[in-house]
Amino acid sequence: NFRVIREEMISNVFNYPNPFSTSTQFIFTLTGDQIPDEFRIDIYTVSGKVVKQITRNELGPLHIGVNKTTYKWDGKDDYGQELANGVYLYRVVTKKADGSDFEKFETNTDQFFKQGFGKMVIMR
């Protein structure tokens, strides 16, 4: 099926590869005719501590459609320290120019992205 979506939404947010040992990059789909004014990916420990924030500038150019970031996260925190093996959570923050959030477009892949959070595994 083919469907035209005019609303600004985000869907199918994944990191690939997952699990990873050296680096992972993010893949997602943007719809509508405007890219988000604010776009960042926050990475958390399972206890909820933010260990890394990846900004829109770091991710590289964004466009409407499927995006595969040029940025590859190396599993290090904001201070350059290598994170331990294990499960981490990530959340994508997207905001329009007026400050409102981009809506989440529901798809079959949402089973991997619960309540706005995805899971990733570091295995070195």
Side-chain angles (χ1 to χ4, degrees), residues 2-9 11 29-33 64 105-107:
F2 183 78
R3 193 169 160 197
V4 176
I5 302 169
R6 297 186 189 278
E7 297 86 23
E8 281 85 26
M9 295 183 170
S11 65
T29 303
L30 294 173
T31 62
D33 59 0
I64 302 302
F105 180 70
E106 302 297 324
T107 66

Side-chain angles (χ1 to χ4, degrees), residues 31-98:
T31 62
D33 59 0
Q34 297 289 322
I35 60 170
D37 236 33
E38 180 183 347
F39 191 105
R40 81 172 189 271
I41 300 172
D42 296 336
I43 300 174
Y44 299 84
T45 63
V46 291
S47 64
K49 178 183 175 194
V50 177
V51 292
K52 179 73 177 170
Q53 285 191 323
I54 305 167
T55 65
R56 178 178 167 181
N57 291 338
E58 291 174 295
L59 290 171
L62 303 179
H63 57 275
I64 302 302
V66 177
N67 288 265
K68 183 176 181 182
T69 63
T70 56
Y71 176 85
K72 293 182 179 180
W73 182 52
D74 58 7
K76 294 181 180 176
D77 66 12
D78 278 333
Y79 302 102
Q81 300 297 312
E82 201 169 79
L83 296 173
N85 288 342
V87 175
Y88 293 85
L89 305 174
Y90 62 93
R91 178 177 72 118
V92 178
V93 177
T94 52
K95 297 209 180 277
K96 298 177 187 179
D98 66 4

Side-chain angles (χ1 to χ4, degrees), residues 102-121:
F102 258 56
E103 295 296 319
K104 174 91 175 65
F105 180 70
E106 302 297 324
T107 66
N108 316 11
T109 60
D110 289 329
Q111 63 188 356
F112 304 110
F113 202 76
K114 300 284 186 184
Q115 297 177 338
F117 287 88
K119 284 189 258 185
M120 67 172 70
V121 177

